[in-house]
Amino acid sequence: MTTMTGGQAVVESLKAEGVSHVFGLIGSAGMEIFDALFDAKSVRFIGVRDERTGVHMADGYARASGKAGVFLAGQNGPGATNLVTGLAQAYAAYSPVVALAGSLSSAHIYRDAFQEVDQLSLFKPITKRTMMLTQTARVPEMVREAFRVAMSPRRGPVLLNLPRDLLADSAEFARAPAPRGRQFDGVFTAPRDVLEQAASLLKGAKRPLILAGGGVKNSGVHESVIALAEALQAPIAMSPGHGDAIPCTHRLYAGQVGPRGNAVASDLAKRADVILALGTRLGFNTTFYSYDNLNKDAKIIQVEVEPTAIGRFFPVEIGVVGFAGEVSQGLRSVMQGHAPGNEVRDWCEAFVQARKAFVEKRDADAGTGSDPLQPAFLFKTLRQVLPDDAMYTMDAGTLCLQATDNMRYAQTPALFTPLDFGLVGFSYACGLGVKLARPDRTVISLMGDGGFGMAHSEIGTAVANGISTVCIVMNNGCWGAEKAYQRDFFGERYIGADVPNPPYDKLAELWGARGFRVDHAADLAKTVAEAVACGKPAVVDVKVDPAALYSFRRDSFKHRAQNNKG
């Protein structure tokens, strides 16, 4: 038995969980934890400038590493409330973030104390679980439970409130046990008879399609999925935000489906007669909950670890509660000896040729570069210049939405987006977390100028900690998505759409980072290559044509389009 303060016990519990990085912002309610971190040589503390962006870092770290990302908010009240956007983002992305929030002293609860807010109620709707430490002696138990819940299927964020008096108090603690029960191996192995039913459907398909989602990407099971696809001669399309579920260099790679995908992949989903949906909810960004983006007559086999996700939005022929990788391996096993017929092979070969033609046309349409610089040329240049190991983080917004299906995801995982939460200001901070998780990879953060304006204070974090990502700011001087809607549906009545910015390359240099600027298309390739090679935190301010706007959610303004016609 060892006597420790609650703060020391928190740090020892984090070490027992194998935590190597803690993101946080110092505050008086958590000082006992910060002081204990001073002596924790195995844990690297990354001090951030804002709790919101700090949680985005922990989110990116979690997604890139496959482990829980940890964020420590040292101040109750405003320090905790600043976590809301970051945790809501992690919740939408099923990202295992463990947030530790300082809380006011137990004796001050319900007394309108300084910086008091009901942190339990605040976070419950946007976390898998929100908990409150009730006794100093329970620190190891509560921290262990936070990690267990965050990492269990489906993964997601957990918040643990830590009253400052309990962190200061001392108690006797036993040696912390090693983490256990986190891998959940074999828990969701599908029964053989269910696999045989699914295999029978797939064998009888004339136009089979595998639709891969986050369950494939986040569990790193692309090899199993590819082996199954090759046996079936089925193209592999991906849900939006998971265009890196398999490497883009594979012959069966189709890219992303749906309104934010590409025409070839989307056509597959509209024509396939059997769809194997692996690790995907068939949710909003994939389908807009409409058969406009999915063959209404297709027989769907849906595989998900979350039972309530199966058949939620579309009726399924067979639902399988299971891990995408295990189910793929199981299907491959029961389909040994299967030989696709000529009709299936023709379907697959037609796709391969269509994909090849699509890629060639995309490059041709992007042109050779002229001013003002067009987004398509920027994306083409990035495909040519950036290395195969590149990992991309993106914001929401018109330019990033256009970019999502345009990058080369040669090594998985490689794409980190806000997914269904759709916020801006995410990409840069997320990229810092991704780089810390994967220092061996090149990390590129794409942002619009508006979103970067929300996050550029974290350049200080990057410089202070030597986190060498490259942020490419696509600077069109406006909130592009909203300005497109005002242009297309509101008679060009612009209000609040234009964003005056400082030269972000100069701002980066003031922070101590490398700053680069591109005003002309002819300078783009060499400038991006130089930024990647510089080996320091870098920002590339790229002037993009402000007229190159696109209305992604045209469906939301059908009433406006009709009114405009009238």
Side-chain angles (χ1 to χ4, degrees), residues 226-397:
I226 288 172
L228 177 61
E230 289 174 340
L232 291 169
Q233 284 298 287
I236 304 173
M238 280 135 278
S239 57
H242 302 302
D244 59 333
I246 74 165
C248 67
T249 52
H250 194 275
R251 172 176 175 269
L252 296 177
Y253 179 92
Q256 297 176 146
V257 301
R260 295 169 183 175
N262 68 76
V264 173
S266 298
D267 182 64
L268 292 173
K270 293 174 184 177
R271 295 176 55 222
D273 61 349
V274 176
I275 298 174
L276 175 60
L278 285 173
T280 172
R281 295 166 295 149
L282 298 174
F284 175 77
N285 278 326
T286 304
T287 64
F288 279 11
Y289 310 129
S290 165
Y291 281 112
D292 291 344
N293 304 290
L294 206 62
N295 182 6
K296 189 173 185 178
D297 298 321
K299 295 178 179 179
I300 299 174
I301 305 165
Q302 188 177 9
V303 180
E304 254 287 352
V305 296
E306 173 53 54
T308 61
I310 295 176
R312 182 182 180 189
F313 303 122
F314 298 92
V316 299
E317 195 77 11
I318 298 174
V320 184
V321 179
F323 287 121
E326 290 188 3
V327 173
S328 297
Q329 291 176 352
L331 286 171
R332 184 75 182 91
S333 176
V334 300
M335 294 181 68
Q336 288 291 341
H338 170 66
N342 290 335
E343 198 166 357
V344 174
R345 293 186 177 279
D346 289 345
W347 153 260
C348 186
E349 184 57 30
F351 150 71
V352 170
Q353 296 305 317
R355 172 73 185 178
K356 180 181 178 183
F358 165 77
V359 169
E360 291 174 350
K361 185 176 187 300
R362 181 176 65 181
D363 281 347
D365 289 349
T368 56
S370 59
D371 296 330
L373 195 152
Q374 298 301 309
F377 180 74
L378 170 62
F379 305 147
K380 175 184 177 180
T381 302
L382 296 181
R383 290 193 298 268
Q384 295 172 337
V385 171
L386 295 176
D388 281 352
D389 77 338
M391 303 174 90
Y392 300 86
T393 67
M394 298 189 193
D395 263 19

Side-chain angles (χ1 to χ4, degrees), residues 440-460:
D440 56 313
R441 300 275 297 268
T442 303
V443 177
I444 306 295
S445 294
L446 295 178
M447 300 190 82
D449 50 307
F452 189 65
M454 294 181 173
H456 60 68
S457 64
E458 298 299 352
I459 300 174

Side-chain angles (χ1 to χ4, degrees), residues 86-215:
L87 288 175
Q89 160 61 49
Y91 187 64
Y94 304 105
S95 184
V97 173
V98 173
L100 307 174
S103 183
L104 77 165
S105 294
S106 304
H108 294 168
I109 296 175
Y110 306 129
R111 288 183 168 179
D112 296 330
F114 178 64
Q115 295 182 328
E116 180 175 5
V117 67
D118 185 354
Q119 294 177 195
L120 270 175
S121 299
L122 180 66
F123 293 106
K124 281 183 178 179
I126 54 171
T127 59
K128 273 188 79 175
R129 186 178 300 176
T130 293
M131 302 183 291
M132 176 74 79
L133 178 69
T134 57
Q135 296 176 343
T136 299
R138 296 186 68 187
V139 165
E141 170 198 349
M142 299 295 279
V143 172
R144 187 163 58 246
E145 178 70 358
F147 278 81
R148 187 190 71 80
V149 172
M151 293 298 291
S152 63
R154 279 195 202 155
R155 295 177 175 183
V158 173
L159 183 126
L160 176 57
N161 289 296
L162 300 167
R164 63 195 305 165
D165 58 314
L166 300 185
L167 295 176
D169 286 348
S170 296
E172 286 194 343
F173 298 91
R175 185 180 181 87
R180 60 184 186 272
R182 300 274 156 64
Q183 300 304 314
F184 301 92
D185 292 330
V187 173
F188 295 118
T189 301
R192 186 174 180 87
D193 63 325
V194 175
L195 292 175
E196 288 175 345
Q197 293 173 38
S200 179
L201 265 184
L202 290 166
K203 287 177 182 178
K206 297 178 179 178
R207 300 182 304 280
L209 173 66
I210 292 178
L211 181 51

